[in-house]
Amino acid sequence: MAIDSGKAGEQSLRFISEDALLVEYGDTLDDSVHQKVRAMDTALRRSRIASRIETVPTFRSLLVKFDPFLLTPSTLLALVESLDASQVELEPGSWRVPVCMRGEHAEDLDQVSGLLECTPAELQERILNSTFKLYMYGFAPGFAYLGGLDPRLAVPRRATPRKPMPPGSLMIAGGLASLASVSMPTGWYVIGRTPVHMFSLQRTQLVPFSVGDTLDFYAVTPGEFARLEAAGERAGMKRGEG
């Protein structure tokens, strides 16, 4: 059921199940839209009902899961409508993340370079000179969707999936980049790999980055990759300058 939020079309609210409210902002993949998603997410997590809800931010919407026995739909709806998320100050993290873009860690690098009519070195340079933004996790636990890919590196997804890639693969397709958390077949192209574990049940924070964080990749050799991978789940991650 769609519900008019009463905020000049800035957001639309609809219950998609008896225990889930979807807050939508626009229908485009736009950074200004995503800012509104993150602002509402932050406002709700700071609100008096924070302990009774779970939020899942995406490119253009926010899913709010709740227990209707602990929080009535009408109470949740009234709170969301009353929040002025425009006043929320966002404080994204900034990270430098190791990536190996050589040999077996970059299985599709040569193929992508051929599709883009550039050299592998040029492709690597464009990746390393870009700042990426983590827009959402989805598809699999810890699978990160990244914006900020150089437009010159836009390639369509494969017509058929490639063989399973390893966890930590840095991939591109459809104008986006992604970091894989588990091995699986994929239509994305693998151009590198990070030793950072993208999902772990052994951490209090299951994923290493928060939605809205920015990531700058820095190159490591295969030997450095192996050393970092053996060192721990977050080895090689460095705080960026913001």
Side-chain angles (χ1 to χ4, degrees), residues 27 137 181:
D27 56 5
Y137 288 102
S181 54

Side-chain angles (χ1 to χ4, degrees), residues 79-100:
L79 178 66
V80 172
E81 290 182 321
S82 68
L83 287 175
D84 184 4
S86 66
Q87 301 303 309
V88 172
E89 292 188 10
L90 300 174
E91 299 178 353
S94 178
W95 301 94
R96 296 188 66 238
V97 183
V99 63
C100 183

